[in-house]
Amino acid sequence: LKRTTMICFRRAIIAAAIPCIDRTAAFAPFLSLPGGASSFHRSLDQLRPHKMSTTDTDEGNSYIDKLALIMINSENKQLVARSYGKKVYYTPGGKREAGESDVQALLRECKEELDVDLLSATKTPGNIEPYGTFQAQAYGKPDGTMVRMTCFRVVPREAEIELESLVQPSEEVEELAWIDSTFDMEKLTVTGIMIVEDLKEKGLID
């Protein structure tokens, strides 16, 4: 078990260092260990050092590190949000605060934006599972400022569907919307478009 844990931790480090990689494959062996996804998250959160989210630089570009929740409802539509005074919808989430793990930051951001506790609001016990990472030009930022968005989903599916009726816009969000691949892409951020296309390709949304 220790050897398997170390192998999966090395894979997690590699996945974090490579842009646009689908981390699910790197984490898969750990999810099969006793305790499944729950053990995976507890162990990864303990092992991975975290600092306050800042803008990093690499090869002349600056990177904004963000976390996001991909939520799909019973009609196979994805949840997006729009802030007050904005025309473009984004994937709910945000940046880490000092000392937070990915899961802790995601739970806090979703509580702030969607007014729901992802893991305690449902009757079906849920977990947070990594989905993948998307990288693109950051919306509303100077050219060369990239956003690196690490995405997660709530599992199992029963827990995710329960959340459909529980999420609601908080004071900082003007509107929530459920969208599919027919949505006007001009109303999405670049990473938002990438996520919709990926979900459509995998048959997760219509």
Side-chain angles (χ1 to χ4, degrees), residues 117-123:
D117 189 316
L118 297 179
L119 296 184
S120 66
T122 59
K123 295 180 180 179

Side-chain angles (χ1 to χ4, degrees), residues 36-57:
S38 179
S39 295
F40 157 74
H41 288 299
R42 286 196 301 269
S43 299
L44 183 56
D45 288 345
Q46 291 170 355
L47 292 172
R48 178 191 295 161
H50 291 289
K51 61 181 180 180
M52 188 172 183
S53 295
T54 56
T55 301
D56 300 320
T57 57

Side-chain angles (χ1 to χ4, degrees), residues 69-82:
L69 173 71
I70 293 177
M71 183 181 292
I72 301 170
N73 69 7
S74 57
E75 297 180 346
N76 296 329
K77 293 184 177 182
Q78 181 207 350
L79 179 67
V80 292
R82 182 174 60 82

Side-chain angles (χ1 to χ4, degrees), residues 4-16:
T4 305
T5 301
M6 291 305 299
I7 291 172
C8 293
F9 179 54
R10 293 193 193 101
R11 291 188 180 186
I13 294 298
I14 293 171

Side-chain angles (χ1 to χ4, degrees), residues 58-98:
D58 181 24
E59 297 181 357
N61 293 324
S62 57
Y63 290 88
I64 301 172
D65 186 28
K66 292 184 122 180
L67 306 167
L69 173 71
I70 293 177
M71 183 181 292
I72 301 170
N73 69 7
S74 57
E75 297 180 346
N76 296 329
K77 293 184 177 182
Q78 181 207 350
L79 179 67
V80 292
R82 182 174 60 82
S83 300
Y84 281 94
K86 303 292 184 180
K87 296 181 179 180
V88 172
Y89 293 81
Y90 66 92
T91 310
K95 299 178 182 179
R96 299 183 198 89
E97 291 185 354

